[in-house]
Amino acid sequence: MDRETRRFWFSLLNKERRANKLQNNGKLHQKITSELVATLRPEFRSELIQINLFGSRILCLAGPDSDLDIYVDIDNSSTIYSLTVTDKVLHEEEVITKALQNNRSMWAFLKKSGGKCPVIVVRHKNSNVQCDINFTNSLTYGQNKLVIYIFELQPVARLMVIYLRGWAEKHQIKSVFRSHLLVLMVIFFLQVRGYLPSVFQLQRGINPDIGPWITTFCKLKLSDFKMMKIPLNADQTHKKLAEFFSYYSTFNFSRIICPYLGREVWRSKLKYSMPQRCRQFVGQKIFANSPVAMQDLVHLAFNKGASIQQSDLDGFLQKCRSETYGFFNL
């Protein structure tokens, strides 16, 4: 192993250890969870408040400044799916916001964002950790569990995302190519190369549990798909990152990044490539009007790449081409 490869590997392992430490901070997570329950329970007068943590901290991808994503399930509403914001959601948003604002010893209210999936942003004062609280959409939490399992199947995927998070920050594209997009891109790349099964294969025979969507999956082994684990070492991780940059530097973005099928799909053909249960939701317009079409793992009518502008994509492609040359010539 030459000096540059050793430097790459030791730096990556240090970032991994830091992410593991944040993920394993059970006392902090328990404190935030218990204080949030204590804040909300008097308002809803219900024992049925469940706090579920997800996001980069739970996926072991986080850096020191990473937020903590929280899904609050009130009255077992996690299986409810709606295309619009209901009066119940608006009421819950108001009640949760006021409860947090009134408990200034524990929480500093920062903001709230609207849309189909409202998020309330606060800072937990004791730890200084920013918390993004979602209370209407359990799909992201379900997807998080699927990603954890995929990382267990092919651990090099997590190392690749950890590296790419730092790479995106270094090149000042982190605000556009955020962690959840890099996760999808890495999973899709490994699927196309034959190292991971498709989401469809992992969900075969399972019924929808939230509207038309499936958030659960079968816990199978790579050997069930005649696939092998990629060795976790410097050479193999370095090689897979080089191949990642090479793949996306020439990717035809008129096609869809589709982890559900694990293969590239033309935008015009996506709807009829999907299961019958969700074709009415997967309209062509959702994926047609943006430079990047990147389908969510479980919410198959959601284009996760919709916010990426053409200038962002052009810059990303240029950086991928540069990295392809640099990685293959180390």
Side-chain angles (χ1 to χ4, degrees):
M1 190 191 307
D2 62 40
R3 186 173 64 180
E4 288 300 317
T5 305
R6 284 199 302 271
R7 184 182 301 169
F8 151 80
W9 184 239
F10 292 143
S11 173
L12 183 55
L13 291 181
N14 282 333
K15 290 179 181 178
E16 181 193 28
R17 281 191 287 268
R18 182 179 63 186
N20 286 340
K21 185 177 180 180
L22 290 170
Q23 192 271 347
N24 292 322
N25 198 340
K27 288 184 178 180
L28 171 61
H29 294 161
Q30 179 58 41
K31 184 172 182 61
I32 292 174
T33 297
S34 62
E35 290 187 358
L36 185 56
V37 170
T39 299
L40 298 182
R41 182 162 287 159
E43 302 299 328
F44 290 97
R45 299 178 182 177
S46 170
E47 295 298 315
L48 296 178
I49 296 178
Q50 296 182 30
I51 307 297
N52 304 286
L53 308 181
F54 66 100
S56 60
R57 284 178 175 257
I58 306 306
L59 290 172
C60 294
L61 300 173
D65 59 344
S66 294
D67 305 336
L68 179 63
D69 294 298
I70 302 174
Y71 169 62
V72 179
D73 183 3
I74 300 170
D75 293 325
N76 271 337
S77 60
S78 60
T79 59
I80 297 173
Y81 176 73
S82 175
L83 292 172
T84 60
V85 178
T86 63
D87 290 340
K88 180 177 181 293
V89 167
L90 293 174
H91 172 70
E92 288 178 352
E93 179 184 31
E94 182 179 354
V95 172
I96 293 172
T97 299
K98 286 184 177 179
L100 292 164
Q101 288 175 325
N102 291 336
N103 197 335
R104 296 181 181 180
S105 63
M106 293 183 184
W107 312 99
F109 178 82
L110 299 179
K111 63 179 180 179
K112 60 181 179 179
S113 60
K116 294 181 180 179
C117 181
V119 175
I120 300 170
V121 183
V122 295
R123 178 171 54 82
H124 181 245
K125 286 190 173 181
N126 183 267
S127 63
N128 205 37
V129 171
Q130 179 175 309
C131 301
D132 297 349
I133 301 173
N134 158 35
F135 53 96
T136 63
N137 184 2
S138 63
L139 286 169
T140 304
Y141 173 60
Q143 176 178 280
N144 201 95
K145 292 187 286 186
L146 176 57
V147 172
I148 290 173
Y149 173 65
I150 289 173
F151 283 175
E152 291 172 357
L153 279 180
Q154 199 61 273
V156 75
R158 187 167 71 92
L159 283 181
M160 291 175 68
V161 177
I162 290 173
Y163 177 86
L164 290 165
R165 275 173 54 93
W167 174 81
E169 184 171 10
K170 174 184 174 183
H171 290 284
Q172 300 181 329
I173 59 173
K174 181 182 177 182
S175 62
V176 178
F177 288 87
R178 304 182 67 181
S179 294
H180 62 280
L181 300 186
L182 296 174
V183 166
L184 289 178
M185 295 178 81
V186 166
I187 289 173
F188 182 68
F189 161 74
L190 292 173
Q191 289 172 329
V192 170
R193 292 301 173 93
Y195 296 112
L196 280 173
S198 66
V199 175
F200 169 76
Q201 289 173 301
L202 293 174
Q203 294 181 335
R204 191 189 302 272
I206 299 178
N207 293 323
D209 55 321
I210 302 178
W213 318 118
I214 302 173
T215 64
T216 55
F217 51 90
C218 300
K219 289 199 170 185
L220 303 171
K221 300 177 181 178
L222 282 180
S223 58
D224 294 324
F225 305 99
K226 298 181 180 180
M227 296 175 179
M228 300 286 290
K229 277 192 177 181
I230 299 168
L232 278 182
N233 58 47
D235 289 338
Q236 284 296 319
T237 306
H238 187 276
K239 180 181 179 181
K240 290 298 167 284
L241 282 165
E243 292 173 0
F244 172 92
F245 288 123
S246 177
Y247 176 73
Y248 282 109
S249 70
T250 59
F251 184 79
N252 183 351
F253 280 92
S254 60
R255 298 183 182 185
I256 293 177
I257 295 171
C258 180
Y260 179 75
L261 296 176
R263 59 180 174 83
E264 300 173 17
V265 181
W266 289 104
R267 300 191 191 204
S268 60
K269 297 183 181 299
L270 178 66
K271 179 176 181 178
Y272 293 100
S273 299
M274 293 293 103
Q276 184 66 45
R277 61 182 164 84
C278 58
R279 286 181 186 173
Q280 62 175 310
F281 301 98
V282 187
Q284 186 176 346
K285 288 183 179 180
I286 297 171
F287 295 92
N289 299 321
S290 61
V292 176
M294 192 182 307
Q295 192 179 38
D296 188 84
L297 285 176
V298 297
H299 192 321
L300 304 181
F302 184 19
N303 178 9
K304 297 290 284 272
S307 64
I308 301 174
Q309 303 299 313
Q310 186 62 50
S311 58
D312 301 321
L313 177 59
D314 292 341
F316 174 78
L317 292 175
Q318 189 276 324
K319 291 174 177 63
C320 282
R321 286 190 284 269
S322 297
E323 293 293 352
T324 300
Y325 175 82
F327 264 76
F328 280 119
N329 285 278
L330 269 186

